Amino acid sequence: MKGKTVVVTGGTSGIGKVAAEKLAKMGARIVLIARDKPRAEATLALLRQAAPDLAHTAHYADLSRISEMKQAASAIAAQEPRIDVLLNNAGALFGARRTSEDGLELTFALNHMSYFVVTELLLNRLAFSAPARIINTSSRAHQGARLDFDDLQMTKRYGAMRAYCRSKLCNILFTRELAGRIEGTGVTVNCLHPGFVATRFADEAGGLISSFAGVAKLLAISPEDGADTIVYLASSPEAAGVSGQYFYKRRSVSPSAAALDRKAALELWKRSAALSGLDH
């Protein structure tokens, strides 16, 4: 990873933070997209300890807002001469239905649309830097989920876990559709299930979800273990050239039947492009 630049969303806590630190120790320069400035500054301090000779930096954005997704990604594309790896890892679970300033259900906006918009705006820079890699953090939670394109924003039947599971299905559908579109560019894209990890995840969801998550985390794996497949996909020669796959514990595994639905992947792409205004 020496001489390589890695852009990370969701890199100020949990598996994203661990992955960023590990990649920095391997020689990568880290560019964070973060919402919380104190946590970003604390993460940058760790990165500078891990690799003091590299100019790690952060851009600030609320990745549930399309305007800020675009602003941060455009700034990075303009400032960075090359991008070797993009890690889309930002995500959350919300106990009650909330909407973004764009009118999107918040889980969908943050967990899926940020992946779509940031990737689209950094894609030319990644292709220029090829071989390059895109990694999307998904989850086994996608199992059993189905997208309802008549109610993609869940205005009729909202459930916190249903919204989260759908967003993780979106991550896989997006990965598979993108893989076909960028084939031959030298850029690969894969997604992964990190395992159930003991992180800040769901701490702010509120109500029973936070309580249940707190108990469940007693049985969870460490962020270090959860970040392992991310680091593998970002750096391993074995993963070079592999694209459009869903990984768990460094191995390509089969996702759900819904995640393999080509028509759903194309429809999600069209809807995401229209919602973001990136439907060129």
Side-chain angles (χ1 to χ4, degrees), residues 181-204:
R181 290 171 178 259
I182 62 176
E183 186 175 1
T185 64
V187 183
T188 61
V189 57
N190 293 289
C191 56
L192 72 136
H193 168 52
F196 183 65
V197 187
T199 67
R200 292 179 59 254
F201 181 76
D203 287 354
E204 299 176 9

Side-chain angles (χ1 to χ4, degrees), residues 12 17 37-47:
T12 62
K17 182 178 179 179
K37 191 167 184 177
R39 283 210 304 269
E41 290 294 337
T43 302
L44 287 172
L46 285 176
L47 295 174

